[in-house]
Amino acid sequence: MSAIATAPAHDHHEDHGHHHKETFITKYIFSTDHKMIAKQYLITGILMGIVGIMMSVLFRLQIAWPEQSFMIFEWLLGDKWAPEGVMTPSIYLALVTIHGTIMVFFVLTAGLSGTFSNLLIPLQIGARDMASGFMNMLSYWLFFISCVIMISSLFIESGPASAGWTIYPPLSALPQAIGGSGMGMTLWLISMAIFIASSLLGSLNYIVTVLNLRTKGMSMMRLPLTIWAFFITAIIGVVSFPVLLSAALLLIMDRSFGTSFFLSDIYIQGEVLSHQGGSPVLFEHLFWFLGHPEVYIVILPAMGIVSEVMATNARKPIFGYRAMVASILAIAFLSTIVWGHHMFVSGMNPFLGSVFTFTTLLIAIPSAVKAFNWITTLWKGNLQMNPAMLFSIGFVSTFITGGLTGIILGDSTLDINVHDTYFVIAHFHLVMGISAIYGLLAGVYHWFPKMFGRMMNKNLGYVHFWITAVGAYGVFFPMHFIGLAGLPRRYYTNTAFPYFDDLADVNVIITIFAIITAGIQVVFLYNFFSSIFFGKKATQNPWNATTLEWTTPVEHIHGNWPGAIPSVYRWSYDYSKMNLDGTDYVIPGQDFVPQTVPLQDHEEELNH
């Protein structure tokens, strides 16, 4: 194994001079260097995130003040979708649909896995680059093309896809059903098919790189938890994304080629359609067989990042390393047998419902193991409260509060009362949306010096964290209560139901918090983009971390290390490690031992 990792070292070093003659296009656009591809993913993800968050502000304004005229609606949506500044129901559905699609797939899946798997896998395992640089580049450009197609669907005359981000048939399967079921829906499906191809190329690359290109001494149980998380995430992606691709292709067949996979006994305006024998529930099964593993594809990389950031900033070894690895494996396995909990009200056999309830509640066990281990890692640590650490602690908070409501939704009897209400929105936005974004932000603040060679502004980071943390709870905490009161999701106004009049004020409060939280992200954007050019220059190891990426030079070079790849002699978490007689740290006066330092005579090897 070490031969694979170290053999190319000399050749790359010889070639080193030639790589400085790269043109702008080969260096910044069609780059095969994993560090540049990580930046491309991150910046594309941030741009898509801006679009997704702006959409959420637009439809929150509509929910808080229905049928009110807003200049911004007319300005952004035009006369067709917001005549005299009043939003139409069809564009409301379209905004909800594209917001969900962008945030789940283009920001959280690609933004997290694409950025940090690319940046960290070669650097933390001790490899020159990914197994296939070309495949890596292809993966990013397919992602970029799918982003362009998804955004372009917003400008279609009949409107973008409007069947919800889950695109259930028959609304999505009949082009004539509503405006958004036409060309906009076709573009959505094409975009997702290309996105899945990108995701699969990336995932296969990550898996092969972790298995084959680890440096000498880097056994699987010496890997940082980030790499375990990215590795298992890639495996889940390879197993489940093809199922969504098959669902999308079958839906394209139903829409354009007259098949009946998901359609049967359909009437439109009194006209009987010729579709017979299909079932929309089949689509739900196919969609959620990806859809639930997708939640873990989003959250596992964030968990890995949080584990790494917490151990580094608590100056303590991560608590229960082997239990953390086992819980990642358990989550990966269980994630593929719980999808039915999204379908408790679809007429499923009650016995099958009880099976899915059991497997869903089972997944709480490895999740709880991780939560307790994070809290124990913090316990009695020498905590460095920088922005990355704050976002990591925020992640644990939202993961626990969001996860607790999952116990209600995972129970087939309790779920019936709150299914398709704001309670569901509150649950998955906290446990998946906000938590994953906190993990992404923790990773950005922590590895920014590695990406760009400069430091982000710490004080702006504090402002960003505290207002985001208060604002995010301000948005999603009240949603639990309006959900329990029965307020349905995806309704563009509730004025037709006097029963819900008392909840109108809560929706106004939620919207105000949403506007504040969206607004404060401007501070992050300013901090991020200005620090790339004007931030304080970073040292080689600004956080005093133990892992391999901090042994590479600050300025990026092709092949990561200028000489031979360093060997590894210990696990990733030797923080505050004392020598055997307890008189001093292993390296006197230094509270961390890098992985590249051989074991000393006066210490014992740790690997909890």
Side-chain angles (χ1 to χ4, degrees):
M1 195 160 290
S2 60
I4 300 172
T6 53
H10 181 66
D11 301 340
H12 275 285
H13 194 44
E14 292 285 284
D15 285 352
H16 185 50
H18 301 297
H19 286 286
H20 283 290
K21 291 173 188 162
E22 290 180 315
T23 62
F24 179 84
I25 288 178
T26 57
K27 185 172 180 189
Y28 292 105
I29 300 175
F30 296 112
S31 173
T32 56
D33 185 329
H34 70 101
K35 301 180 289 296
M36 184 56 65
I37 292 171
K39 293 180 198 176
Q40 291 175 323
Y41 265 112
L42 179 59
I43 289 168
T44 312
I46 286 173
L47 295 175
M48 292 298 278
I50 293 168
V51 176
I53 289 171
M54 280 178 63
M55 287 179 168
S56 63
V57 170
L58 291 178
F59 61 69
R60 277 306 327 171
L61 285 170
Q62 165 62 26
I63 300 166
W65 296 284
E67 289 152 32
Q68 285 246 10
S69 174
F70 287 98
M71 278 301 293
I72 193 167
F73 287 174
E74 199 165 356
W75 185 55
L76 285 177
L77 304 175
D79 267 349
K80 178 170 183 182
W81 302 117
E84 295 175 8
V86 179
M87 189 182 286
T88 61
S90 49
I91 197 65
Y92 174 85
L93 280 177
L95 288 172
V96 171
T97 301
I98 306 297
H99 162 78
T101 308
I102 284 177
M103 297 309 281
V104 171
F105 294 109
F106 296 90
V107 178
L108 297 179
T109 304
L112 262 168
S113 285
T115 301
F116 292 105
S117 298
N118 267 310
L119 178 72
L120 295 177
I121 287 176
L123 286 172
Q124 289 194 334
I125 69 173
R128 293 285 178 203
D129 207 312
M130 283 289 178
S132 167
F134 176 75
M135 204 154 116
N136 211 9
M137 177 186 78
L138 201 58
S139 151
Y140 169 73
W141 281 103
L142 286 174
F143 165 61
F144 183 79
I145 290 165
S146 73
C147 287
V148 170
I149 294 172
M150 188 61 72
I151 295 295
S152 67
S153 76
L154 299 173
F155 302 98
I156 297 293
E157 189 181 354
S158 56
S162 308
W165 80 278
T166 55
I167 58 159
Y168 284 175
L171 201 54
S172 60
L174 295 168
Q176 67 270 45
I178 54 173
S181 296
M183 181 56 125
M185 189 70 237
T186 304
L187 287 174
W188 191 100
L189 289 164
I190 293 166
S191 171
M192 283 313 300
I194 296 170
F195 175 85
I196 292 165
S198 150
S199 178
L200 289 173
L201 284 173
S203 294
L204 291 170
N205 218 352
Y206 307 149
I207 292 167
V208 173
T209 307
V210 172
L211 289 178
N212 286 349
L213 297 186
R214 302 193 305 282
T215 188
K216 187 178 179 189
M218 181 64 86
S219 64
M220 291 299 276
M221 294 314 280
R222 283 178 175 170
L223 288 172
L225 287 169
T226 37
I227 303 301
W228 270 106
F230 301 145
F231 176 57
I232 301 301
T233 299
I235 292 172
I236 302 175
V238 168
V239 168
S240 56
F241 262 119
V243 181
L244 182 64
L245 182 61
S246 65
L249 292 175
L250 294 179
L251 197 51
I252 289 170
M253 304 278 276
D254 272 13
R255 290 169 55 79
S256 306
F257 301 104
T259 56
S260 301
F261 292 109
F262 307 129
L263 295 169
S264 187
D265 306 314
I266 301 281
Y267 297 78
I268 286 193
Q269 294 167 343
E271 178 199 352
V272 186
L273 301 186
S274 58
H275 297 285
Q276 277 297 317
S279 167
V281 177
L282 169 62
F283 179 87
E284 290 189 34
H285 279 293
L286 292 173
F287 181 89
W288 288 115
F289 189 81
L290 160 92
H292 204 79
E294 167 65 22
V295 172
Y296 294 99
I297 290 170
V298 162
I299 207 73
L300 278 178
M303 288 173 162
I305 287 167
V306 163
S307 301
E308 186 69 24
V309 171
M310 270 198 180
T312 305
N313 288 306
R315 312 310 296 162
K316 270 180 68 183
I318 191 82
F319 184 85
Y321 174 85
R322 287 174 187 272
M324 290 297 242
V325 172
S327 62
I328 290 174
L329 294 167
I331 285 171
F333 169 67
L334 290 169
S335 74
T336 58
I337 53 170
V338 296
W339 78 92
H341 65 221
H342 296 269
M343 301 170 55
F344 285 144
V345 297
S346 68
M348 128 185 331
N349 183 315
F351 174 72
L352 187 59
S354 66
V355 172
F356 278 122
T357 298
F358 174 69
T359 56
T360 301
L361 297 183
L362 216 54
I363 212 164
I365 298 168
S367 304
V369 166
K370 297 190 92 57
F372 287 127
N373 282 7
W374 286 318
I375 292 167
T376 318
T377 301
L378 295 174
W379 177 250
K380 292 191 175 176
N382 174 19
L383 305 185
Q384 314 295 307
M385 287 297 189
N386 50 43
M389 182 64 151
L390 288 174
F391 276 108
S392 297
I393 295 169
F395 170 94
V396 178
S397 168
T398 53
F399 184 70
I400 293 172
T401 46
L404 286 171
T405 53
I407 296 170
I408 295 166
L409 293 169
D411 188 304
S412 53
T413 46
L414 298 176
D415 173 70
I416 290 168
N417 300 296
V418 286
H419 190 89
D420 259 343
T421 68
Y422 271 83
F423 191 85
V424 179
I425 294 183
H427 159 71
F428 78 79
H429 276 83
L430 275 181
V431 80
M432 176 177 114
I434 299 299
S435 297
I437 283 176
Y438 282 0
L440 174 67
L441 291 169
V444 169
Y445 280 105
H446 189 73
W447 280 290
F448 189 90
K450 189 77 262 163
M451 279 197 218
F452 298 104
R454 293 181 182 269
M455 306 295 286
M456 288 180 78
N457 183 310
K458 207 175 184 179
N459 291 333
L460 288 179
Y462 291 143
V463 171
H464 178 217
F465 170 74
W466 284 111
I467 297 179
T468 301
V470 173
Y473 270 134
V475 171
F476 297 112
F477 204 72
M479 278 190 193
H480 292 95
F481 301 106
I482 59 176
L484 286 169
L487 194 69
R489 63 194 285 198
R490 295 188 177 138
Y491 282 28
Y492 92 115
T493 174
N494 298 293
T495 46
F497 310 103
Y499 175 72
F500 294 131
D501 286 351
D502 293 344
L503 304 178
D505 291 345
V506 184
N507 264 327
V508 171
I509 291 165
I510 291 172
T511 296
I512 290 166
F513 273 115
I515 293 166
I516 293 167
T517 313
I520 204 64
Q521 304 317 307
V522 174
V523 171
F524 168 73
L525 293 173
Y526 168 77
N527 194 359
F528 181 86
F529 287 108
S530 69
S531 297
I532 291 175
F533 303 104
F534 309 115
K536 193 179 92 185
K537 280 212 160 50
T539 55
Q540 187 176 13
N541 188 357
W543 315 119
N544 292 335
T546 59
T547 41
L548 282 179
E549 75 270 31
W550 305 107
T551 63
T552 61
V554 177
E555 58 285 345
H556 288 176
I557 59 168
H558 196 84
N560 296 336
W561 287 269
I565 299 176
S567 297
V568 165
Y569 300 95
R570 56 183 69 237
W571 75 322
S572 324
Y573 298 103
D574 272 339
Y575 291 103
S576 303
K577 188 178 184 186
M578 307 299 281
N579 54 28
L580 283 174
D581 56 13
T583 53
D584 199 353
Y585 294 126
V586 170
I587 300 176
Q590 181 175 305
D591 68 349
F592 67 102
V593 190
Q595 285 188 280
T596 52
V597 174
L599 279 172
Q600 312 292 306
D601 296 334
H602 55 276
E603 67 167 323
E604 60 176 333
E605 184 170 8
L606 294 179
N607 195 346
H608 293 293

